[in-house]
Amino acid sequence: MTVPESPQPASPVQIGLDRAAHERAAEGLLDEARARPDARVLVVHGDRAPLTADGALRWLRPREVAGDVTWAFLGRDADGVPLLLAAATADAEVPAVAETWGALRAVGGELAPADADAFVAALSLGRWLLEAPFCPACGSATRVHAAGWARTCQGCGREHFPRTDPAVIVAVTSPDRQRLLLGSNAMWAQHNRYSTFAGFVEAGESLETAVEREVHEEAGVRLSALRYGGSQAWPYPRSLMLGFHAVADDEQAARADGEEIVAVRWFTRHEIAEALAGGGDVLLPGTASIAHRLITDWLEGRA
């Protein structure tokens, strides 16, 4: 594969949540933030957050949040006001703070950049706080500190932090770059749903090797070119999606592996444009996912 020396990102860098990470070690930070009447809280229940009538995130005041929730410090807004997380497990009673709730998968692409960033951080951190209370080394209970961003094992003393697992996601074009190869995953209920190819980076594997392996395993093609196209934090459960554009050596070699991918198909720009507009017989990824960005970048000539 050929990798350009200076790859260009698929979209400009956007400034989102100010995480104020340097403040996390301050003693009493979380309690002090919760005591401020102007602090804003994002409640996360499972993978959903409350929404306003116009579809924006509904931020609450600390006094408005009750029930069995786990608290953490997310950062600060542009005015320095603390932003907090209140996380509840999916099987807990829904906090009575809003009538409308939205999952990140469904609404993330429509949110303002700062709110989308806060939702991703809250969901990622909240899941770790709720689902990883014990030390993976010795099994002892851990103590949360750093305003929710670290744990110390009370048995062996090891320190633990929220995990991020790298995964590659790839938009593959034909040699003349006029067609896009997409696959239909066996786990999807709708067999007319297609997307780019993705998979986790294995231990000891480079990103480039992971791209080549995943695409060949799932779609049967070898790649002659590879270009980085941007990244996206995706807390399902804790992925960092690293996006690429690649060119297939031989489009005739494309075939589904029959296990993870049940069908592959070459699409023209007309077919992709029609599907993105809601027409045709194909469903494509929603705006919340980096797969949508990779596809639109190719369609609009940015890849």
Side-chain angles (χ1 to χ4, degrees):
M1 291 183 292
T2 302
V3 182
E5 293 181 2
S6 301
Q8 297 299 313
S11 61
V13 174
Q14 295 178 320
I15 303 302
L17 171 70
D18 176 5
R19 299 183 176 223
H22 62 284
E23 297 186 44
R24 294 173 189 164
E27 192 70 30
L29 170 64
L30 188 54
D31 290 337
E32 179 184 338
R34 287 180 60 182
R36 284 184 52 164
D38 62 342
R40 296 193 294 149
V41 184
L42 182 60
V43 177
V44 174
H45 179 256
D47 72 340
R48 302 181 303 155
L51 304 176
T52 64
D54 60 359
L57 283 187
R58 182 182 178 86
W59 291 86
L60 304 170
R61 301 301 182 190
R63 66 177 180 274
E64 298 176 292
V65 182
D68 186 15
V69 297
T70 297
W71 291 84
F73 176 75
L74 289 177
R76 296 189 183 274
D77 68 12
D79 297 319
V81 173
L83 303 177
L84 304 175
L85 161 69
T89 59
D91 57 358
E93 183 177 346
V94 180
V97 297
E99 293 184 1
T100 304
W101 293 71
L104 177 67
R105 293 180 190 270
V107 305
E110 310 305 319
L111 297 175
D115 274 358
D117 197 12
F119 197 169
V120 172
L123 182 52
S124 302
L125 181 59
R127 282 186 162 175
W128 178 71
L129 288 169
L130 295 171
E131 298 175 4
F134 300 103
C135 175
C138 74
S140 299
T142 59
R143 179 182 60 83
V144 176
H145 57 100
W149 288 89
R151 295 179 183 274
T152 297
C153 176
Q154 299 183 76
C156 65
R158 285 180 172 85
E159 196 167 24
H160 305 287
F161 303 92
R163 280 185 54 185
T164 297
D165 296 334
V168 293
I169 183 165
V170 195
V172 179
T173 67
S174 57
D176 62 3
R177 302 178 188 258
Q178 296 306 303
R179 287 169 297 284
L180 184 67
L181 182 64
L182 301 177
S184 182
N185 195 290
M187 297 179 63
W188 295 336
Q190 302 109 321
H191 296 303
N192 63 333
R193 181 178 294 279
Y194 282 80
S195 186
T196 50
F197 301 96
F200 285 104
V201 180
E202 294 186 347
E205 190 174 43
S206 70
L207 297 179
E208 294 82 0
T209 301
V211 169
E212 173 73 23
R213 175 183 54 77
E214 283 289 344
V215 173
H216 185 255
E217 287 177 356
E218 295 184 354
V221 297
R222 295 292 186 184
L223 305 176
S224 59
L226 180 66
R227 183 174 69 81
Y228 177 65
S231 65
Q232 177 188 35
W234 192 241
Y236 290 101
R238 51 178 175 266
S239 303
L240 174 63
M241 306 300 295
L242 298 146
F244 292 86
H245 293 278
V247 178
D249 280 341
D250 178 9
E251 61 186 286
Q252 300 302 319
R255 52 103 186 104
D257 67 2
E259 296 181 7
E260 290 187 58
I261 303 298
V262 295
V264 295
R265 176 174 162 185
W266 287 103
F267 291 87
T268 64
R269 279 189 165 82
H270 172 76
E271 290 171 322
I272 292 295
E274 185 179 34
L276 289 174
D281 61 346
V282 172
L283 298 175
L284 294 181
T287 56
S289 71
I290 190 173
H292 182 276
R293 189 207 311 170
L294 293 172
I295 291 170
T296 55
D297 282 345
W298 170 78
L299 177 65
E300 297 170 6
R302 294 192 297 271

